[in-house]
Amino acid sequence: MKFFLDSANIDEIKEIADLGLLDGVTTNPSLIAKEKAQKNFEKTIKEICKIVKGPVSAEVISTDYDGMIKEALKLSKIDKNVVIKLPMTPNGIKATNYLYKKKIKVNVTLIFSVSQAIIAAKAGAAYVSPFVGRLDDISSSGLDLISDLSEVFMNYGFHTEILVASIRNPIHLTESAKLGADVATLPYSVIMQLFNHPLTDSGITKFLNDWNKK
Ligand code: G3P
């Protein structure tokens, strides 16, 4: 399972890269805005690409087809690892198919149903991003969607990777792993939570206490 960091914060990206856990990065307009980097968007993506030797998703903000293509072509020139993130709309899907034919990788985002994921896969998306946390927020099950997508993508041998997004806790990650999801994009806080177990802490304390006994 690949770990992407869901962040545009350079310090967080460097820290997770230093741990040797970073396979890629995903950003979105909200994450870019959180870093106040809207005006330096391309520069920020370039900086992220210098740290990560893997896919870096950069999302377009246009909603019309021509605007999406214009932004996508510009972003794709930043680095060979840039993946264009497009929303799950008819224009987004049309743009996905255009970019697929140009061999530019696309991550179709804001996926909330199996039908949306099938459409994105058929258009040639390299990744689909189902948002598990936001489905849970509306009393639906995000993990049921991951289970359904794993089954359907397996049935047809789609090459599109399932990139689990909107992960809010370690259970979202471990259950997605059990279901065979290809990628998890994780906020920094959830990655750090993955390390924790009270028995690890008490075990270290006991080892050190025993060592220091006279
Ligand atoms: O990758 C998408 C993610 O950033 C959305 O997460 O927590 O805003 O639903 P969240």
Side-chain angles (χ1 to χ4, degrees), residues 26-77:
T26 51
T27 66
N28 63 36
S30 303
L31 293 170
I32 294 289
K34 196 172 159 199
E35 303 306 320
K36 307 210 179 326
Q38 294 98 318
K39 287 204 177 113
N40 296 320
F41 180 36
E42 288 167 37
K43 203 175 142 229
T44 302
I45 296 295
K46 195 177 220 164
E47 208 175 338
I48 295 172
C49 288
K50 276 193 197 140
I51 307 165
V52 195
K53 295 300 154 224
V56 175
S57 287
E59 187 161 342
V60 304
I61 50 165
S62 297
T63 52
D64 64 299
Y65 173 75
D66 289 339
M68 283 178 176
I69 296 295
K70 200 171 155 201
E71 277 187 66
L73 293 177
K74 205 169 166 199
L75 289 169
S76 69
K77 288 195 178 79

Side-chain angles (χ1 to χ4, degrees), residues 6 26-28 31 85 109 129 131 133-134 137 163-168 185 187:
D6 199 25
T26 51
T27 66
N28 63 36
L31 293 170
K85 211 166 173 191
T109 190
S129 288
F131 278 36
R134 291 194 196 181
D137 288 345
L163 190 168
V164 185
S166 185
I167 288 180
R168 306 271 177 78
T185 189

Side-chain angles (χ1 to χ4, degrees), residues 174-187:
T174 51
E175 292 301 314
S176 296
K178 281 154 72 179
L179 293 165
D182 304 283
V183 191
T185 189
L186 300 141

Side-chain angles (χ1 to χ4, degrees), residues 108 110-112 128-132 142 145-146 149 162-166:
V108 177
L110 294 165
I111 296 280
F112 294 97
V128 283
S129 288
F131 278 36
V132 291
L145 176 60
I146 304 306
L149 290 186
I162 299 170
L163 190 168
V164 185
S166 185

